[in-house]
Amino acid sequence: MPMTIRIRPVEQSDYDWLLDLHHTVYRELIINEFGYWDDDEELGLFLEAWETKKIDIILKQDKPVGMFIIQRQDDYLWLDEIQVEPQFQNQGIGTEIIMQLILRARKISLPIRLRVLHANQGAYRLYRKLGFQNICRAEHHNVMELY
């Protein structure tokens, strides 16, 4: 049975919820990967995305449950971020969004690339299951691609 999720563009009223989502999703991963959490640094990263990137909100039963940012590059689509609220993780929402992105990328004959923190083993396993391959290993991330 297909998941009943919808996508809509970010709205100004999403700011507080998105900031909370960012902190909730990333705090433990960042601490595990880098050994610390810096509120100012994380706020700066959040604000950069808020101010400069096209953010899409994932809705389940018209309630925001996640977000993603996809950017078109010259020769690939870059999945800059995908976040799902912890209580909605492992329910197929992230998989559904990524499957939609894969279909979109295939229609325009471009691969999808992303990066995932080494500490984020759950996301890494999901990407591998969906067919993404490692193309580069950096200090804190794996860069992956699916063609």
Side-chain angles (χ1 to χ4, degrees), residues 29 89-90 95 98 116-130 144:
L29 289 170
Q89 291 177 5
N90 301 308
T95 300
I98 295 168
V116 59
L117 285 168
H118 297 306
N120 196 348
Q121 286 300 303
Y124 181 78
R125 281 191 300 274
L126 172 63
Y127 299 139
R128 295 286 299 177
K129 184 175 107 179
L130 293 174
M144 304 180 81

Side-chain angles (χ1 to χ4, degrees), residues 113 133-137 143-145:
R113 292 184 185 163
Q133 300 293 318
N134 289 349
I135 58 171
C136 175
R137 180 178 170 89
V143 178
M144 304 180 81
E145 179 179 74

Side-chain angles (χ1 to χ4, degrees), residues 95-132:
T95 300
E96 177 69 22
I97 294 298
I98 295 168
M99 294 302 294
Q100 289 178 18
L101 295 174
I102 290 169
L103 290 174
R104 177 176 154 194
R106 287 189 173 147
K107 282 182 184 173
I108 56 175
S109 299
L110 290 178
I112 300 175
R113 292 184 185 163
L114 57 83
R115 68 181 191 164
V116 59
L117 285 168
H118 297 306
N120 196 348
Q121 286 300 303
Y124 181 78
R125 281 191 300 274
L126 172 63
Y127 299 139
R128 295 286 299 177
K129 184 175 107 179
L130 293 174
F132 283 84

Side-chain angles (χ1 to χ4, degrees), residues 10-27 30 37-57 66-69 71 80-81 83 115:
V10 72
E11 299 169 356
Q12 188 65 39
S13 61
D14 294 317
Y15 179 90
D16 289 337
W17 174 80
L18 270 177
L19 180 60
D20 185 58
L21 177 67
H22 173 91
H23 284 22
T24 299
V25 168
Y26 284 127
R27 184 180 304 271
I30 295 295
W37 174 268
D38 182 313
D39 280 327
D40 292 336
E41 183 178 339
E42 292 303 320
L43 178 59
L45 292 169
F46 173 82
L47 287 172
E48 178 190 349
W50 176 261
E51 293 168 0
T52 66
K53 298 177 181 176
K54 180 188 173 294
I55 300 170
D56 286 303
I57 302 297
M67 62 79 78
F68 67 96
I69 298 169
Q71 297 173 311
D80 190 66
E81 285 194 58
Q83 301 170 16
R115 68 181 191 164

